[in-house]
Amino acid sequence: MGNAHDPASRPRRPAGGGSEDAATGEPPAARALVDARALAAVAALSLSTFVQNGFLYPPLEARAPWALAACGLAYAAAFALWALAAHRRRKPLPTTALSAVACAALAAGAALWVAAAAMGYPAVLAAPAVALLSCGRAWAIVVAGLSLTGLRPRGVLVTVAGGVFLSYVAYLALGAVLAALAPVLYALLPVAALAVTAGPVAKSRASLASGPGELAVTNPGSFPGPFNRLFVCIFLFEVGFGLSIEFGADLGAWWAAAVPGAALLAVAAWCARTRSTRREDALFHVSALLVVFGFLMSSAQTALFGSVAQQALAVGAQTFNVLTWVALSIVAARNPAGGVTALGQGFCASNLGATVGVVLGQASSSGDPLAGDVRLLVLALVAAAFVGYVWMGLRGFSFTDAIQGVKPVEEVAPPAPESRTDIEARCERLARAHGLTEREGEVFALLARGRNGAFIQEECRVTRNTAKTHIRHIYQKLGVHTQQELIDLVEGEAADGAA
């Protein structure tokens, strides 16, 4: 029988009631490979993107070329808003209530958009319409991402790729209907996604006791920051997608939808069959090669090679879109308390990148006689930056490792019942051995006694960010990732001393 004070003998479970399997990213074999609700939600949201880029935004862009970039920024801001709201709260965001608010925002936004279109898109109507639609749609995407967290990692890949494939099928079958009812369907598709996922997501998150606002202080390794390399990589890839929109990679012809649709079906089939533990990295490399190839071919002067470039960019962008959904959803599964924040940050980076790509594309496609050279220069610079970052800046980077690097939040077991003096003495020895500063030593002792972030801030009279910085440095110097590992290390020091 294990010793009650032996760290290895203590049961562990993720804080907030999430299952151990969901936190580690290795669900049990009994868990489904494909979730029908999540599949439908991804398909609906992907189809709404086609409606947006194909039918909703072009009339607005024709009247105001800058409007597309403004809409992209508004959409990115909506994701940032949800991420910030979730991160600052001590309790998880209420899924059901906010889903109802999102549906109301989508309905109001659609009504305003219809009115704005009838009046020539005046800013006084178009701006609030975009804001409402962006907030509602962003929340629907976050909830859809959370609905994927119940699947095994391979199942997330199959479900997302399958959902995007179905959106292409729906586009080919219903293109005329989508064009005729674009504003209404643009709002209804996210509502449909919420209708099938909000209930199960709310039920699965009902047991979460804490939001990331409190947990992030003592678990910095569980909550990737906005400038994490995963999010930077997402941003950079989406620049290519934004460029592909401006350079004509649209769905104007049936084959323009059939080719990437078939590619996504192939991705879903491969994901369903493969047993590779590096699936995410394989998709990353394929999408990178396709995007680079598309960049190099996009300056072609013939229609045939121009179409090849467009399809390469489209398939590469959609493959990476699948990877983005998968990476963010698995991160959310590993750390349920920070799921909304991770999804919001990741999709914010995605939309910021796409917006930058649109702006670059607009700047290089003017009617100036030098437009061809400018376009070629922009493509060359973006391709150079892309290749340089992927093969040099991301040297050693792995999507799979980045996902696994997000440490599940553990519920902290109370330290062994020992005197405060004994704990502090051991902490002092460890602090000297690992080069902790005086202030870090103070915070270390509080962490070893099981104190939370709020207590540390008050006791040491420091801000939340300062406390997070100290704790991050302490973990790095001690070679631990969570507060529980730190407590185990201190208790191990006691055993070593006794020996």
Side-chain angles (χ1 to χ4, degrees):
M1 181 179 295
N3 188 316
H5 301 325
D6 180 5
S9 69
R10 285 207 191 98
R12 300 279 191 267
R13 66 182 182 86
S19 70
E20 183 74 18
D21 294 320
T24 60
E26 295 296 337
R31 188 163 292 174
L33 183 64
V34 177
D35 181 86
R37 292 175 180 270
L39 180 75
V42 172
L45 291 166
S46 179
L47 185 59
S48 73
T49 300
F50 297 157
V51 173
Q52 169 189 282
N53 295 333
F55 307 119
L56 201 71
Y57 284 175
L60 176 62
E61 187 181 16
R63 291 180 175 271
W66 51 265
L68 189 57
C71 291
L73 289 175
Y75 196 29
F79 282 111
L81 174 67
W82 292 123
L84 183 62
H87 188 70
R88 300 301 297 180
R89 279 177 58 92
R90 292 181 180 272
K91 298 291 184 181
L93 291 176
T95 305
T96 303
L98 288 179
S99 295
V101 171
C103 290
L106 287 162
L112 283 173
W113 188 275
V114 171
M119 300 173 63
Y121 299 101
V124 69
L125 291 178
V130 169
L132 289 168
L133 289 169
S134 296
C135 285
R137 190 162 176 265
W139 179 250
I141 288 176
V142 168
V143 173
L146 294 174
S147 74
L148 292 164
T149 60
L151 296 166
R152 66 186 76 175
R154 184 162 58 94
V156 179
L157 277 164
V158 175
T159 301
V160 175
V164 177
F165 162 72
L166 290 177
S167 70
Y168 277 102
V169 173
Y171 179 85
L172 287 169
L174 304 171
V177 177
L178 298 175
L181 302 174
V184 175
L185 291 176
Y186 186 64
L188 282 180
L189 287 167
V191 169
L194 284 170
V196 298
T197 57
V201 168
K203 184 177 180 180
S204 69
R205 293 176 64 81
S207 59
L208 293 179
S210 301
E214 178 66 28
L215 296 173
V217 177
T218 52
N219 296 274
S222 303
F223 300 87
F227 298 105
N228 183 279
R229 286 207 295 177
L230 177 64
F231 300 144
V232 173
C233 187
I234 290 173
F235 169 85
L236 189 61
F237 266 79
E238 289 300 328
V239 172
F241 176 63
L243 277 169
S244 71
I245 294 175
E246 285 301 305
F247 292 162
D250 54 31
L251 303 179
W254 70 268
W255 53 265
V259 171
L264 267 296
L265 179 61
V267 169
W270 176 77
C271 293
R273 294 180 60 84
T274 185
R275 292 295 186 270
S276 171
T277 59
R278 294 282 173 177
R279 295 175 294 265
E280 297 83 11
D281 286 339
L283 288 181
F284 172 57
H285 295 142
V286 168
S287 61
L289 290 172
L290 286 169
V291 170
V292 171
F293 176 78
F295 279 149
L296 295 176
M297 288 287 293
S298 59
S299 59
Q301 299 301 308
T302 63
L304 175 61
F305 287 109
S307 298
V308 170
Q310 292 167 12
Q311 290 307 305
L313 284 169
V315 175
Q318 286 293 6
T319 302
F320 193 79
N321 177 44
V322 170
L323 181 58
T324 298
W325 275 89
V326 169
L328 298 178
S329 298
I330 296 177
V331 167
R334 290 177 63 79
N335 183 15
V340 174
T341 301
L343 287 160
Q345 287 177 335
F347 283 115
C348 176
S350 173
N351 284 277
L352 281 177
T355 302
V356 170
V358 165
V359 171
L360 290 174
Q362 289 175 337
S364 62
S365 58
S366 65
D368 188 275
L370 297 177
D373 289 342
V374 172
R375 170 175 167 158
L376 185 59
L377 176 61
V378 169
L379 287 171
L381 290 174
V382 172
F386 183 88
V387 173
Y389 184 74
V390 170
W391 275 275
M392 289 186 287
L394 292 180
R395 181 176 297 173
F397 175 80
S398 161
F399 255 86
T400 303
D401 291 343
I403 293 168
Q404 298 297 320
V406 176
K407 302 299 178 181
V409 177
E410 291 183 328
E411 185 176 87
V412 178
E418 301 172 77
S419 71
R420 176 173 174 175
T421 303
D422 290 341
I423 293 176
E424 290 183 347
R426 274 183 264 123
C427 287
E428 287 179 7
R429 290 197 297 271
L430 286 168
R432 288 194 301 269
H434 293 275
L436 270 59
T437 66
E438 181 178 353
R439 173 62 86 177
E440 290 169 354
E442 295 174 11
V443 175
F444 176 32
L446 294 172
L447 290 169
R449 289 160 50 198
R451 300 300 190 180
N452 61 21
F455 184 93
I456 292 171
Q457 294 170 58
E458 182 177 351
E459 182 75 9
C460 297
R461 300 182 183 277
V462 295
T463 65
R464 181 175 180 276
N465 287 335
T466 300
K468 282 182 64 177
T469 300
H470 286 319
I471 292 170
R472 186 180 296 109
H473 291 165
I474 292 167
Y475 288 179
Q476 289 172 349
K477 292 179 180 180
L478 295 177
V480 300
H481 302 95
T482 66
Q483 186 176 7
Q484 185 59 58
E485 290 182 10
L486 181 146
I487 292 172
D488 293 346
L489 178 65
V490 174
E491 293 183 349
E493 172 73 6
D496 292 342

